[in-house]
Amino acid sequence: MPEGPSVRKFQLLTSPFVGQVVAKVGGSSRKLSVNDLNALKLQDSQVHGKNLYLAFVAAEGPVGPTAEETALQREAAFGEHCPAQGQQGQAGVPHPHSQDEELQEAQHSRSEAPEAAQGRGNWLRIHFGMFGSVRANEFSRASRANKRGDWKDPVPRLVLHFESGGFLVFYNCRMLWCSSPRADPASDILSVEFHRGWALRALRAPDPVCYTLLDQRYFSGLGNIIKNEILYLARIHPLTPGSLLALSDLERLLDCALQFSSEWLHRKLRGQGLHPQVYQKEQCPLGHPLMKGTFGPLGGFKRLTWWCPQCQPAVLPGDGDPSPVTG
């Protein structure tokens, strides 16, 4: 699925439409009655980790809370459950996913969090699937033929036409109403409120670091591309238990995560692509052959992982000098 930097860019595309009224709707979504959005005003747009949230209110009527008021209410709202859903996949990935990775993405989307029935709220939660995207004032066009040899343009799940004449188009996503964004900015790797101390404590668990990095409770927005790249940049073997790493190693890994995510976002905003060093590669930048494996917690979701045995040697008990994590 699109990782934090991609969804941040999607949110920036929707922001200019905040305050505008929906004049016409369209799309192929079967889970959402798209006509319910007619004549509503887009009140707010927020991103939390890998999810985009859009708030809608009646065009003429009591105005709901502003973005600032929503932020003040977030602590209270955090306890409320917002249903989770979605097929997962990468958007803007430098190379197409293999069928194995696509199947794993779909399995993960079903296990990430259970769905729950609740009354409709005024926030639309958008969870992007494989190659999911948002476009402003343009439609996506086919870049190649499908398996049957047809050049068919992607079908949008939702199209919002606004009274101003502009429009937003949402592709390959799942949408559901919820009462408020359910997220903790302290775990969002692109948030100014990200809490390093909590992240370091999570990384210090005895689990392999490649498991912990994908745990959205501690690293919201961090996905498989970021995981592979930062483990190589920090020169850490993906299956190294966090409890065997020194504090300096954990600090370096966390610095790589924050810097890589921020730089990826800035590249996206400049219209530049990502040039990974190990993700879906056969050699590392130093010319060493890469290994590839599928790793994940017992009974949990497994992800494809690339690493360099020479640049990222395995750490055995007794090799490291773990230091206590504080803060």
Side-chain angles (χ1 to χ4, degrees), residues 99-152:
Q99 289 185 342
D100 289 341
E101 180 115 339
E102 184 172 353
L103 176 60
Q104 293 166 10
E105 293 281 7
Q107 292 172 341
H108 180 54
S109 67
R110 291 191 291 269
S111 62
E112 189 179 42
E115 290 194 12
Q118 82 171 41
R120 166 180 160 172
N122 71 315
W123 287 88
L124 188 63
R125 178 186 187 271
I126 303 176
H127 189 81
F128 296 92
M130 184 74 74
F131 309 119
S133 66
V134 176
R135 288 178 177 263
N137 302 321
E138 65 175 355
F139 290 94
S140 179
R141 301 302 180 189
S143 58
R144 58 185 176 183
N146 59 25
K147 294 180 180 179
R148 294 189 295 271
D150 300 326
W151 286 76
K152 302 182 76 172

Side-chain angles (χ1 to χ4, degrees), residues 249-309:
D249 294 326
L250 298 176
E251 292 273 12
R252 184 172 70 255
L253 178 59
L254 187 54
D255 288 340
C256 289
L258 299 178
Q259 182 176 354
F260 183 89
S261 301
S262 178
E263 289 180 353
W264 189 6
L265 173 60
H266 290 141
R267 290 184 66 86
K268 280 186 168 292
L269 297 181
R270 293 193 299 265
Q272 300 172 345
L274 179 68
H275 301 287
Q277 299 192 56
V278 294
Y279 181 76
Q280 296 186 338
K281 299 289 187 180
E282 295 183 356
Q283 294 182 337
C284 79
L286 298 180
H288 306 142
L290 294 180
M291 299 288 290
K292 182 175 77 170
T294 304
F295 305 135
L298 183 64
F301 180 57
K302 309 297 189 294
R303 299 301 302 268
L304 286 172
T305 303
W306 288 261
W307 77 98
C308 176

Side-chain angles (χ1 to χ4, degrees), residues 162-208:
F162 294 89
E163 290 183 343
S164 65
F167 60 93
L168 288 169
V169 191
F170 301 82
Y171 292 95
N172 198 3
C173 58
R174 297 283 298 279
M175 297 167 287
L176 202 65
W177 292 104
C178 62
S179 59
S180 63
R182 181 176 184 263
D184 183 359
S187 68
D188 192 323
I189 58 172
L190 287 171
S191 171
V192 295
E193 300 178 53
F194 182 77
H195 198 295
R196 288 183 63 95
W198 295 354
L200 287 170
R201 283 197 292 272
L203 286 171
R204 196 56 182 276
D207 303 315

Side-chain angles (χ1 to χ4, degrees), residues 207-277:
D207 303 315
V209 287
C210 70
Y211 299 2
T212 306
L213 286 171
L214 293 181
D215 192 329
Q216 299 299 294
R217 294 175 299 175
Y218 310 113
F219 298 95
S220 181
L222 196 154
N224 205 37
I225 296 178
I226 297 176
K227 178 204 76 177
N228 280 279
E229 292 299 304
I230 65 175
L231 285 171
Y232 176 76
L233 291 171
R235 300 299 193 263
I236 295 175
H237 191 285
L239 292 179
T240 305
S243 55
L244 295 184
L245 290 170
L247 177 58
S248 58
D249 294 326
L250 298 176
E251 292 273 12
R252 184 172 70 255
L253 178 59
L254 187 54
D255 288 340
C256 289
L258 299 178
Q259 182 176 354
F260 183 89
S261 301
S262 178
E263 289 180 353
W264 189 6
L265 173 60
H266 290 141
R267 290 184 66 86
K268 280 186 168 292
L269 297 181
R270 293 193 299 265
Q272 300 172 345
L274 179 68
H275 301 287
Q277 299 192 56

Side-chain angles (χ1 to χ4, degrees), residues 55-74:
F56 291 90
V57 295
E60 295 183 7
V63 177
T66 63
E68 291 78 14
E69 291 169 336
T70 300
L72 293 175
Q73 296 169 358
R74 191 175 292 151

